[in-house]
Amino acid sequence: MAQIHCNFFSYSLGYGVDILIVLPSFSPCDMRKGTPTHKIPYKYPVLYLLHGHGNDYMSWSRFTSMERYVEERRIAVVTCSVGNKGYMNADAYGENYYDFVARELPEFIIANFPVSARTEDTYVAGLSMGGYGTLAHGFGHPESYCAIGAFSPATEWKSDTELRLGHGFPKMMDLYAQLEINLEQKKKFPAIFLCVGKQDFLYESVVRFHRYLEKKEIVHRFDEVGGYEHEWAFWDFELPQFLDWLPRTDQYANYPTHKM
């Protein structure tokens, strides 16, 4: 795999931003297959992977086997840091993270790296606060993503959230209200993957969200797994489940698994 750390100036944020791009690439496994080459036959499907509260753009790479998982499945990954802004626009600071994730980041990636621009090849997933960001962007721009994955997501923002975490947040999207808007407008939802550990402190709120989706007859996969709290071990366990569940139609979808 190729791991690319990149810094570029963001017009949505008004300053330089660090991102990580992971690209499937020539590996030792390919040495026995004939003439080595770095030529890429097709553009890669891409997963935008969102971090949680207190994390940054390196967290998925540091605390899970993400890079091995996506190399084996020939999927590109992009991560970025949003601080603790919840993937929303923080108008008071001019930090438009919702706009950055929804528009500018894909624009930059597609223009500079060999990833597909097709909605059918574009996915977003995240954990905790990033799970909320996944749902907010997946429901706010359902036309942009083929599938979304919410891992232990924050689905409700209660009045004591800021007190517990010690800082404020931008105005957050009401996911239930956005769902109702989408249903009223008859928008097509991306495929939805939802998961939570049974010992997670967010378990009850995630189950409520799951049941709401069922009530509204919104098709989705729901994993609830015993023995896990709000922890990286669970997210590392669920990530390959999510990757194998993705409804892929790209040219790499039927390639043999690229075991590392």
Side-chain angles (χ1 to χ4, degrees):
M1 79 204 106
Q3 184 189 89
I4 304 165
H5 295 261
C6 178
N7 179 278
F8 70 98
F9 179 81
S10 164
Y11 57 73
S12 300
L13 306 176
Y15 50 76
V17 60
D18 291 315
I19 65 172
L20 173 70
I21 304 100
V22 175
L23 292 173
S25 61
F26 188 84
S27 78
C29 299
D30 297 306
M31 291 299 292
R32 59 181 178 271
K33 297 179 182 177
T35 305
T37 179
H38 288 290
K39 292 182 179 180
I40 298 171
Y42 313 107
K43 290 187 176 182
Y44 294 112
V46 59
L47 168 62
Y48 293 90
L49 205 48
L50 310 184
H51 67 76
H53 183 274
N55 300 154
D56 60 28
Y57 80 109
M58 284 297 296
S59 296
W60 275 104
S61 182
R62 292 178 64 197
F63 300 121
T64 75
S65 295
M66 175 270 288
E67 295 184 25
R68 177 169 60 86
Y69 298 151
V70 297
E71 171 72 17
E72 290 173 352
R73 294 160 177 81
R74 293 179 173 87
I75 299 175
V77 163
V78 177
T79 67
C80 65
S81 294
V82 304
N84 293 326
K85 300 297 194 303
Y87 300 90
M88 295 289 101
N89 286 345
D91 296 331
Y93 305 100
E95 296 177 332
N96 296 318
Y97 279 110
Y98 187 86
D99 296 343
F100 176 74
V101 172
R103 182 165 63 96
E104 185 178 4
L105 183 58
E107 176 188 273
F108 178 82
I109 293 299
I110 291 167
N112 291 281
F113 297 96
V115 303
S116 173
R118 298 196 320 154
T119 297
E120 297 93 326
D121 301 333
T122 305
Y123 321 110
V124 61
L127 63 91
S128 194
M129 182 187 76
Y132 162 80
T134 293
L135 295 170
H137 284 269
F139 297 158
H141 294 279
E143 73 285 351
S144 297
Y145 305 103
C146 172
I148 63 176
F151 295 41
S152 313
T155 57
E156 303 168 5
W157 294 86
K158 298 180 180 179
S159 58
D160 66 343
T161 299
E162 295 185 1
L163 292 175
R164 287 189 292 107
L165 296 176
H167 62 83
F169 286 91
K171 183 179 180 181
M172 307 302 281
M173 180 187 293
D174 183 326
L175 298 175
Y176 289 90
Q178 185 61 49
L179 272 171
E180 292 293 343
I181 291 171
N182 289 10
L183 289 169
E184 183 179 339
Q185 296 178 353
K186 294 182 170 51
K187 290 187 177 181
K188 181 181 178 181
F189 287 92
I192 301 170
F193 181 103
L194 182 67
C195 64
V196 68
K198 288 188 176 181
Q199 279 67 54
D200 195 313
F201 72 96
L202 293 176
Y203 175 72
E204 290 184 1
S205 62
V206 174
V207 170
R208 278 195 297 273
F209 191 73
H210 155 63
R211 289 174 178 162
Y212 185 81
L213 294 177
E214 284 189 321
K215 178 181 177 182
K216 296 296 180 176
E217 298 182 339
I218 298 172
V219 177
H220 63 289
R221 168 169 165 173
F222 179 55
D223 289 358
E224 50 180 339
V225 185
Y228 288 103
E229 300 179 13
H230 203 72
E231 57 181 314
W232 282 105
F234 174 66
W235 303 321
D236 187 49
F237 172 77
E238 282 293 313
L239 182 56
Q241 318 301 319
F242 168 72
L243 293 171
D244 288 338
W245 163 86
L246 288 174
R248 292 177 60 178
T249 57
D250 60 275
Q251 292 93 333
Y252 295 101
N254 296 319
Y255 272 43
T257 302
H258 195 77
K259 291 294 184 183
M260 297 295 292

